[in-house]
Amino acid sequence: MTVRFYLFLFGILFGPYAWAQIRPAIALNVVEISDRKLNDYSDSQSVQKLNDSIIQKNQSSLSHLLNFSTGIYFKENGLGMVSSPSFRGTTAQQTAVIWNGININSQLNGQTDFNTITATDFNSITVRSGGGSSLYGSSAVGGSVHLNTKLDFYDNFSNRINLNYGSFNTLGLNYHLRYSTEKMSFFSSISRNSSDNDYKYLKSPLKNQNGNYFNTSYNIGFGYKLTDNTFLKIYSQFYEGERHFSIINPTDSKTKYQDLNTRNLADLTTFLASFTSNIKVAFLSEKYKYFGNIEKQHFTFGTVETLLAKYNLTYKNNDFQTDFVADFTQNKGNGSDIVNDKRTISGFALQFKHALNAKLSYEGSLRKEITHNYKSPILYSVGTNYKPTDYYALKINISQNFRIPTFNDLYWQGTGNLNLKPEKSIQAEIGNVFKGNNFTLSATIFHSKLKDMIRWIPQKGGLFMPINPENVSILGSELSLSYQKKIQNHHFDFNANYSYTQSENEKTNKQLIYVPYHKSTASFAYNYKRLSMFYQYLWNGEVFTQTDNNPKKIIENYTVSNLGFSWDCDAQKKYSIGFKIMNLWNENYENVENRPLPGRNYTINLTLIF
């Protein structure tokens, strides 16, 4: 399949290449990432970039990285189990994950399990707060998480190996290879993670049973400079994992879940004076098997294959940019519990940005999707960035966003609902950014109205069925602070985030379940010559676990801290050894009811760079 797919891509992509030969060559900046929309159309919204050093300080899963570095709340069914985000008071299905410019949320359940993403496979991870459906389509309602493989075009050859071993027989391996010249660039990573995951519950004689897991992932990026003004980039990712779902009671049936995800993308970019032509063709697949009893061979399964093609034409001069986008997506799904079906979506978008002067700019985007499965609203986003001084900027953004029904919502056998409407959201935010020589402080308030929220609700006879019964009102604020200081050989780095979120069902005026009113994180890093250390802090406010907000059915607030040290064994910093203590103060906590998370645990790690 993969070989045939790449032959197909080359046949499509080299057509524009022949046309580009007759155009004059122009000087180009270095091309690094495929997700150009993230850089070009985010001036009026909050964007948080997590650099490689931050990624390396955290455990391998994307859940751990974002939980301790951002305002996103995660509910996790035990360490390494299913992990679902709540971004700005929305649900997991309303947070989009964007891989090199492509939305990769599951077509089956509408969300991404953040414990199936190995953060160390990527050298660029960015969190974009607020609506982005006019750029990225369905699910980009509360915000989006962007995973990019950066490709650099300069002479370089490097290797990095990270090995770690920790409590509960937890093993981790991550290998990075990077090779590039002025004409080509290659990046590859391999990750392997496994754990017995049999930690003891604090204040209880029990321990985590049937929680072992393992996973393997591969990530490849290749770029080639076909001419002075034409770049071809190819990305491929493979993930295979197995998890034995933790049981609550010793008498419960032991289950397991296997998933296999593949992603392939070809990207051709041609620069023609003031115009840029970009073609993307992608093939994605997702498969799962669920074993209700690990002692038996019987399982249920589901699979979806997605073919995507996108064309983007950009015109840009000194102070104005506009983009026209046309895309086509076809999803084909089948499984033991869903009706075999195919969904085809065509989309058209127009985006623009204009700098009136050095202080004031504005941007906007429109998108319309066409399909027979649902009626799509016109999606839009309008924003401005006003920077009267070098020390202050005002950002304002208004957008309409949506989430389409999933294959499970539409085609689940016996209960799927073909009459579902897409969820629609109108939201607005105002951000203030203050910058000094060594610090950045941002304060944002946001408000959104979510209409036709899809919920699986029991009908007559107790059968659950998806319907559009509810509207949700969300009001919140975010604060973030970063501070860096260097004094001779001493380097200090401090980051902090706080978010307040009120997300209520408009009928009942009750807070949505598993959405905390308060969350804060902080981290401090210190480097002196060969010594490095960091401290992480996370505080989560209480959350309700029932829709009636019963005060007796809550998850208590908790505080978790991590501490880490590392030492460079040589002056060139080619070899280092580190030690991490997770849950330093041995907090007894959980973020899903009856799913305790580990007490104090340890990891030792070795890093080799050559």
Side-chain angles (χ1 to χ4, degrees):
M1 173 63 75
T2 301
V3 174
R4 294 198 301 269
F5 173 69
Y6 281 136
L7 291 174
F8 167 68
L9 296 183
F10 274 84
I12 292 179
L13 294 172
F14 277 112
Y17 170 61
W19 173 61
Q21 296 298 306
I22 64 175
R23 303 296 180 178
I26 59 173
L28 299 175
N29 295 324
V30 173
V31 176
E32 290 190 339
I33 65 173
S34 186
D35 189 0
R36 294 176 57 246
K37 301 300 182 190
L38 177 64
N39 294 329
D40 292 346
Y41 293 101
S42 299
D43 290 346
S44 61
Q45 292 177 262
S46 175
V47 174
Q48 182 181 357
K49 296 182 179 181
L50 305 176
N51 59 36
D52 193 57
S53 63
I54 295 176
I55 296 172
Q56 293 301 314
K57 287 183 178 69
N58 287 270
Q59 291 179 295
S60 60
S61 76
L62 187 60
S63 290
H64 188 276
L65 171 67
L66 299 181
N67 199 25
F68 281 91
S69 305
T70 72
I72 304 175
Y73 171 76
F74 286 89
K75 60 175 185 176
E76 196 172 7
N77 294 337
L79 184 65
M81 301 296 103
V82 175
S83 178
S84 304
S86 175
F87 200 161
R88 284 191 171 182
T90 60
T91 66
Q93 291 88 350
Q94 294 156 355
T95 299
V97 176
I98 311 299
W99 172 73
N100 291 306
I102 301 297
N103 190 324
I104 61 170
N105 276 31
S106 169
Q107 297 297 318
L108 291 167
N109 60 23
Q111 68 183 72
T112 295
D113 182 347
F114 280 67
N115 273 336
T116 65
I117 302 290
T118 302
T120 49
D121 280 342
F122 303 93
N123 46 29
S124 175
I125 297 177
T126 303
V127 177
R128 185 180 189 270
S129 300
S133 291
S134 60
L135 297 178
Y136 298 107
S138 176
S139 303
V141 179
S144 51
V145 177
H146 300 254
L147 312 173
N148 285 296
T149 303
K150 295 172 63 176
L151 296 174
D152 301 316
F153 289 85
Y154 60 87
D155 291 336
N156 177 45
F157 178 69
S158 62
N159 298 267
R160 184 180 70 204
I161 298 176
N162 291 325
L163 299 166
N164 62 72
Y165 179 77
S167 303
F168 328 123
N169 195 29
T170 300
L171 294 164
L173 165 67
N174 179 255
Y175 170 65
H176 279 209
L177 167 65
R178 181 177 293 281
Y179 173 73
S180 62
T181 65
E182 293 184 357
K183 195 172 182 63
M184 64 88 65
S185 181
F186 177 78
F187 172 86
S188 176
S189 71
I190 302 174
S191 296
R192 171 72 177 186
N193 302 286
S194 65
S195 179
D196 291 345
N197 207 23
D198 54 352
Y199 54 90
K200 293 182 179 180
Y201 297 159
L202 298 178
K203 300 181 181 180
S204 170
L206 302 177
K207 69 176 183 178
N208 193 44
Q209 297 185 57
N210 196 55
N212 53 303
Y213 64 84
F214 63 86
N215 58 70
T216 305
S217 60
Y218 306 91
N219 193 43
I220 295 174
F222 172 76
Y224 190 76
K225 192 175 180 181
L226 298 172
T227 69
D228 287 340
N229 62 346
T230 305
F231 288 81
L232 172 66
K233 290 173 284 183
I234 296 175
Y235 305 91
S236 187
Q237 187 187 27
F238 170 92
Y239 174 91
E240 183 177 27
E242 178 175 302
R243 287 175 288 184
H244 291 205
F245 286 156
S246 301
I247 59 176
I248 298 176
N249 301 306
T251 57
D252 292 343
S253 296
K254 294 181 178 180
T255 63
K256 69 178 181 180
Y257 188 90
Q258 298 173 345
D259 43 11
L260 174 65
N261 300 318
T262 65
R263 300 170 183 121
N264 302 280
L265 167 66
D267 180 298
L268 181 70
T269 303
T270 304
F271 297 86
L272 307 165
S274 298
F275 291 90
T276 302
S277 172
N278 176 258
I279 299 174
K280 284 184 171 70
V281 181
F283 177 77
L284 316 175
S285 70
E286 55 178 298
K287 302 177 182 179
Y288 80 86
K289 292 181 180 179
Y290 174 72
F291 295 78
N293 187 331
I294 62 175
E295 303 297 333
K296 299 180 180 179
Q297 294 300 314
H298 176 73
F299 60 84
T300 58
F301 73 95
T303 179
V304 174
E305 294 182 343
T306 298
L307 178 65
L308 182 150
K310 178 184 291 188
Y311 179 71
N312 192 131
L313 180 64
T314 303
Y315 171 78
K316 186 175 184 180
N317 61 22
N318 292 333
D319 55 11
F320 181 79
Q321 175 177 334
T322 185
D323 289 71
F324 169 76
V325 182
D327 56 66
F328 170 85
T329 304
Q330 185 180 87
N331 309 120
K332 184 178 180 181
N334 67 85
S336 53
D337 294 314
I338 61 173
V339 179
N340 295 1
D341 212 316
K342 181 168 63 176
R343 176 164 65 188
T344 300
I345 303 171
S346 299
F348 302 91
L350 182 66
Q351 297 134 15
F352 64 90
K353 63 186 297 185
H354 182 208
L356 293 173
N357 50 51
K359 297 181 179 180
L360 180 62
S361 65
Y362 63 93
E363 60 188 13
S365 56
L366 293 169
R367 178 176 173 83
K368 176 65 177 178
E369 293 189 355
I370 301 171
T371 181
H372 71 277
N373 298 98
Y374 55 85
K375 184 177 180 182
S376 171
I378 295 177
L379 308 173
Y380 63 84
S381 175
V382 180
T384 184
N385 186 316
Y386 177 54
K387 190 176 180 181
T389 72
D390 292 336
Y391 305 103
Y392 172 73
L394 173 67
K395 299 182 178 184
I396 301 175
N397 182 271
I398 301 172
S399 63
Q400 174 160 285
N401 308 279
F402 84 143
R403 181 180 79 85
I404 65 176
T406 67
F407 266 71
N408 289 356
D409 295 331
L410 295 171
Y411 308 123
W412 195 266
Q413 290 190 13
T415 58
N417 185 355
L418 294 176
N419 296 316
L420 285 173
K421 306 173 186 176
E423 299 175 345
K424 296 181 286 293
S425 170
I426 296 178
Q427 55 187 277
E429 64 178 89
I430 300 175
N432 298 272
V433 181
F434 305 88
K435 287 191 175 182
N437 292 331
N438 299 306
F439 78 92
T440 300
L441 172 66
S442 68
T444 303
I445 59 173
F446 57 89
H447 179 55
S448 61
K449 292 279 190 176
L450 180 64
K451 184 180 180 182
D452 295 326
M453 185 174 179
I454 299 172
R455 296 286 302 277
W456 285 70
I457 292 178
Q459 307 299 307
K460 291 182 179 180
L463 189 66
F464 279 76
M465 182 176 180
I467 58 176
N468 296 102
E470 296 177 354
N471 298 331
V472 176
S473 178
I474 302 173
L475 177 66
S477 61
E478 298 167 338
L479 289 171
S480 67
L481 171 67
S482 64
Y483 176 81
Q484 296 83 33
K485 184 68 174 179
K486 179 181 179 182
I487 305 174
Q488 295 181 344
N489 291 321
H490 302 271
H491 298 256
F492 303 89
D493 194 334
F494 176 77
N495 293 277
N497 297 280
Y498 168 76
S499 59
Y500 170 80
T501 309
Q502 179 180 296
S503 181
E504 293 185 347
N505 182 319
E506 290 188 345
K507 289 183 179 179
T508 63
N509 293 322
K510 301 294 185 180
Q511 181 85 345
L512 295 190
I513 62 172
Y514 290 105
V515 176
Y517 286 107
H518 307 277
K519 181 187 176 182
S520 64
T521 66
S523 64
F524 172 77
Y526 169 73
N527 298 83
Y528 176 72
K529 294 184 178 179
R530 298 187 186 182
L531 174 67
S532 299
M533 65 164 291
F534 70 88
Y535 177 78
Q536 295 176 319
Y537 169 89
L538 164 67
W539 178 73
N540 251 118
E542 65 181 27
V543 298
F544 295 106
T545 63
Q546 294 189 353
T547 56
D548 62 357
N549 287 184
N550 184 342
K552 295 182 179 180
K553 295 293 183 178
I554 64 172
I555 293 178
E556 300 285 350
N557 64 78
Y558 57 85
T559 301
V560 182
S561 296
N562 303 320
L563 180 66
F565 303 90
S566 66
W567 175 259
D568 295 315
C569 302
D570 66 322
Q572 291 75 35
K573 298 185 177 182
K574 298 293 185 180
Y575 313 97
S576 64
I577 188 168
F579 183 69
K580 300 176 185 176
I581 308 172
M582 273 70 71
N583 195 358
L584 178 65
W585 309 116
N586 209 32
E587 177 87 352
N588 183 25
Y589 76 106
E590 59 186 15
N591 52 38
V592 172
E593 192 173 20
N594 296 320
R595 298 291 184 178
L597 288 160
R600 186 184 298 115
N601 59 98
Y602 310 92
T603 299
I604 186 170
N605 58 279
L606 174 67
T607 301
L608 308 175
I609 300 175
F610 55 96

